[in-house]
Amino acid sequence: MKQDASLPLVYHPIYSIPFPAQHRFPMAKFQLLYQQLCQQGIATTQNCFSPSAPAPLSILQLAHCPQYIQQFCQGELDAKALREIGLPWSPLLVQRTCTAVAGTILTAELAKRYGLACHLAGGTHHAFYRHGAGFCIFNDLAVCARYLVQNGLAKQVLIIDCDVHQGDGTAAILQQDANIHTCSFHSALNYPFTKMHSDWDIEIEDDCGDSDYLAILQQHLPSILACLQPDFILYDAGSDVHQDDRLGRLKLTDQGIRQRDNYIIQLAHQHNIAIACVIGGGYDRDHAEVARRHSLLHQQANLLFNQLYR
């Protein structure tokens, strides 16, 4: 899959909308991530793409109930539903949410072309068919996976979810899909406290560090790939496994996250599998710091792209 190009990235300025300063969700991190990648020379006008429009109803319906989509988009969700999502509703939030779903699809299309591509958002894996939860409104992973299969862009999709929290919404939505498979490496005792059943659930004990975490990946992923033989991977590279994350329970360092991302991307390349990466969760009162942790994915992907894909 060698190409004369730079690592494809996907970003849109609307990813960071005006937001309450003290809110637990670090909405500013997307813009800060983009700025950091520009400063590092990883994001440029040549290799950073933006979705042309928010994902339409027909795309969102690949994974979500039409009534739920309409209620959210028109501001008709009740207070309980909004509390479960945990984000203050606004028309701008609607536009931002639908654009981010389109961004994950664009990332997958670029990965199909170049072998590897990275989103500067995405990984909203707590959203279910009929409701949102945990800062997640529409499940971009489930929507994108079904989009790939239904449009003939992939025959077997594997979702590798390394966010510290289980991808419960993704697992529930895709439970019956024969061509899409879910694999979640997550903290055993963290949110969500009622887990769903992924195709593979690998629970990780509190305080797991770099070497033990990498050993767990190495123990499971090669056999999963051998069993499924997927032709596309959607990789949720949550930075909330970091030892300093506000909502995590694991103890990975910067180097441990780099090793994780390096291993998964290299494994995909060795098996000639296209891989699209999204950033997943990451939480800190210092939004620039959480953006820096997310940037570890793009730094490692950029390094590997130049070594392996060009």
Side-chain angles (χ1 to χ4, degrees):
M1 297 181 183
K2 293 186 182 295
Q3 302 287 336
D4 185 18
S6 300
L7 171 69
L9 301 173
V10 173
Y11 171 74
H12 196 289
I14 202 172
Y15 289 171
S16 289
I17 61 174
F19 213 65
Q22 300 305 314
H23 198 282
R24 284 204 306 168
F25 186 77
M27 184 64 76
K29 71 178 184 178
F30 307 101
Q31 181 181 25
L32 292 168
L33 172 59
Y34 174 70
Q35 292 171 349
Q36 290 181 19
L37 293 177
C38 287
Q39 292 167 3
Q40 295 165 15
I42 294 173
T44 69
T45 56
Q46 286 73 39
N47 73 321
C48 200
F49 302 86
S50 293
S52 59
L57 179 65
S58 59
I59 294 294
L60 299 174
Q61 284 181 341
L62 290 173
H64 293 287
C65 170
Q67 182 181 12
Y68 168 60
I69 298 169
Q70 177 180 324
Q71 287 176 334
F72 170 71
C73 291
Q74 296 184 3
E76 297 172 349
L77 290 178
D78 61 28
K80 180 181 178 183
L82 288 174
R83 280 196 303 272
E84 190 170 2
I85 290 171
L87 301 173
W89 187 91
S90 70
L92 204 54
L93 180 67
V94 174
Q95 187 178 357
R96 181 236 174 267
T97 299
C98 297
T99 302
V101 175
T104 294
I105 291 173
L106 176 58
T107 306
E109 292 174 334
L110 290 166
K112 182 71 177 177
R113 178 178 176 184
Y114 294 102
L116 168 64
C118 291
H119 200 182
L120 276 66
T124 48
H125 60 174
H126 297 309
F128 285 73
Y129 177 69
R130 297 181 183 276
H131 65 91
F135 306 141
C136 301
I137 297 160
F138 298 134
N139 194 310
D140 64 311
L141 295 166
V143 171
C144 183
R146 285 185 171 165
Y147 176 88
L148 289 168
V149 171
Q150 291 192 16
N151 286 277
L153 298 175
K155 295 179 180 178
Q156 294 287 334
V157 178
L158 172 62
I159 298 173
I160 301 176
D161 191 336
C162 289
D163 192 282
V164 79
H165 307 105
Q166 192 212 29
D168 53 342
T170 312
I173 291 170
L174 300 173
Q175 198 168 35
Q176 303 302 319
D177 286 57
N179 301 98
I180 305 171
H181 311 273
T182 53
C183 173
S184 181
F185 294 87
H186 55 265
S187 172
L189 300 179
N190 211 327
Y191 177 91
F193 303 111
T194 300
K195 306 290 195 290
M196 297 292 109
H197 294 291
S198 309
D199 293 306
W200 285 271
D201 282 304
I202 298 91
E203 295 195 328
I204 300 174
E205 298 303 316
D206 283 6
D207 301 323
C208 179
D210 294 349
S211 59
D212 288 340
Y213 189 96
L214 184 61
I216 292 169
L217 295 181
Q218 293 170 336
Q219 176 185 352
H220 293 279
L221 281 177
S223 60
I224 292 172
L225 292 185
C227 174
L228 292 181
Q229 297 186 339
D231 56 340
F232 201 99
I233 290 173
L234 288 172
Y235 172 39
D236 186 341
S239 74
D240 46 12
V241 297
H242 195 277
Q243 61 185 358
D244 296 325
D245 188 84
R246 187 178 179 187
L247 301 182
R249 302 174 71 112
L250 305 186
K251 296 297 182 182
L252 272 69
T253 65
D254 286 8
Q255 182 60 22
I257 290 178
R258 291 182 190 275
Q259 290 173 341
R260 176 198 69 176
D261 299 340
N262 179 77
Y263 177 69
I264 291 174
I265 294 171
Q266 289 230 40
L267 197 62
H269 182 265
Q270 290 165 10
H271 289 80
N272 198 34
I273 305 169
I275 179 168
C277 309
V278 300
I279 69 169
Y283 306 92
D284 198 289
R285 290 182 177 86
D286 183 342
H287 294 178
E289 172 59 20
V290 75
R292 186 198 66 78
R293 293 177 206 151
H294 281 305
S295 76
L296 299 173
L297 163 69
H298 305 83
Q299 293 171 24
Q300 195 62 39
N302 184 62
L303 179 66
L304 290 173
F305 191 86
N306 284 284
Q307 289 178 350
L308 303 175
Y309 290 86
R310 294 189 64 173

